[in-house]
Amino acid sequence: MGGDTWLSEYEACSRLGQDLMEQINERNKHARTSSAYTKLSAQIRSKTRQFTSDLNRLKQNLMRASASYHITQREVERRQGMMDVLVTKEKQIDEATRNEGSSRSLLLGHGGGGDTFSQADPWGMNDEPEVFRDMSNTDLQQQQQSVIHEQDRGLEALSHVVSRQKQMAIDIGNEVDDQNELLDDIGDHIDRTDNRVQRETRHIRIVDRKSAGCWYYVVIMLLFIAIVIIGVVPYNGKP
């Protein structure tokens, strides 16, 4: 894919991880009090930070490329598989720095450039955090259990919060349904009232028209009576 720098950055990150493992095995060949061991330890720490930074940048660039559809879904899945290889390598390097003095060792794979573990040589790592250096394996296990227990309590508290939020959402949904039913009832009452108002309005118009007709008849009768009176009165008044 022309113009795509992700693959070249991946290759550079992969070579850096390979160099780290080679230096770790090289350092383990020296005594822990030697200057060569100290020098290699400093280089390993620096390269480990660079490897982690490059790996995080690759992850972010892959997510951005996937979100913007610059690459196909199939290519995203392929690159994610490549990222998994680097993540595994990162875990191996991190494990090496956390298990100084254990009976395991890291050997470099030949032919495929892969990384395998062997029981032949000790790690002999000397760059673990200061807080862990004077702790026994039992103390480390107890601290790990304490951390796991704290995480479990945090997850349990989060679960309770999510459950309360879910219940609140259900209650709000039920209240909305009740309000919708009330609005439907009000709408029905308004429709019925409007129909009655229209019906009564038609009745009033009919009565009004009938009332106007009655007044016409009254006026006609009054005029008729006036004509009769006018015609009769002069006749009866002659000598």
Side-chain angles (χ1 to χ4, degrees):
M1 299 178 66
D4 189 354
T5 61
W6 191 91
L7 294 176
S8 60
E9 292 176 355
Y10 171 85
E11 292 297 332
C13 186
S14 180
R15 287 194 299 270
L16 179 59
Q18 191 72 9
D19 291 342
L20 267 170
M21 291 184 172
E22 290 176 355
Q23 283 192 321
I24 289 173
N25 284 278
E26 179 64 24
R27 186 188 68 172
N28 291 343
K29 298 176 182 179
H30 301 280
R32 295 177 59 182
T33 56
S34 65
S35 60
Y37 187 96
T38 303
K39 181 179 179 180
L40 287 171
S41 295
Q43 294 176 357
I44 289 171
R45 286 193 293 268
S46 177
K47 287 186 177 181
T48 299
R49 288 192 294 268
Q50 182 63 39
F51 179 77
T52 301
S53 176
D54 292 347
L55 182 58
N56 290 333
R57 184 168 61 254
L58 282 173
K59 291 178 182 179
Q60 294 173 0
N61 291 339
L62 180 58
M63 287 189 295
R64 281 196 291 266
S66 175
S68 59
Y69 300 99
H70 287 168
I71 56 178
T72 63
Q73 182 61 33
R74 184 175 181 179
E75 179 65 14
V76 171
E77 294 175 355
R78 186 180 77 88
R79 294 187 182 186
Q80 187 59 55
M82 296 167 64
M83 288 295 303
D84 292 341
V85 174
L86 290 183
V87 171
T88 300
K89 186 174 294 185
E90 181 188 33
K91 291 179 180 179
Q92 291 173 349
I93 295 171
D94 182 69
E95 187 175 358
T97 61
R98 292 178 181 274
N99 291 275
E100 179 181 5
S102 67
S103 60
R104 292 178 296 176
S105 65
L106 182 65
L107 293 181
L108 302 176
H110 299 287
D115 308 303
T116 59
F117 283 103
S118 172
Q119 301 293 333
D121 300 318
W123 280 106
M125 308 301 292
N126 193 34
D127 54 355
E128 63 182 349
E130 290 288 343
V131 68
F132 295 142
R133 289 187 178 178
D134 296 331
M135 298 178 66
S136 64
N137 290 335
T138 302
D139 294 335
L140 288 173
Q141 290 177 355
Q142 290 177 351
Q143 184 172 5
Q144 184 181 23
Q145 291 296 328
S146 177
V147 171
I148 293 174
H149 180 66
E150 291 296 330
Q151 291 177 344
D152 289 340
R153 289 201 302 177
L155 291 174
E156 184 177 359
L158 179 61
S159 175
H160 291 326
V161 172
V162 172
S163 298
R164 288 196 298 270
Q165 295 293 334
K166 179 180 179 181
Q167 187 60 44
M168 289 176 60
I170 293 174
D171 294 339
I172 292 174
N174 293 335
E175 183 65 22
V176 170
D177 292 338
D178 294 339
Q179 295 297 328
N180 287 334
E181 291 180 0
L182 291 175
L183 291 175
D184 291 339
D185 293 339
I186 293 174
D188 293 338
H189 287 306
I190 291 174
D191 292 337
R192 288 194 295 269
T193 302
D194 184 64
N195 291 332
R196 286 198 296 269
V197 169
Q198 292 180 2
R199 185 169 59 252
E200 295 300 327
T201 300
R202 289 194 297 269
H203 290 166
I204 291 173
R205 289 176 180 173
I206 293 173
V207 171
D208 184 64
R209 286 196 297 270
K210 290 183 178 179
S211 298
C214 292
W215 279 107
Y216 292 150
Y217 289 121
V218 171
V219 171
I220 292 172
M221 289 299 297
L222 291 175
L223 291 173
F224 178 75
I225 294 173
I227 292 171
V228 171
I229 293 173
I230 292 172
V232 173
V233 171
Y235 178 78
N236 292 330
K238 289 183 178 181

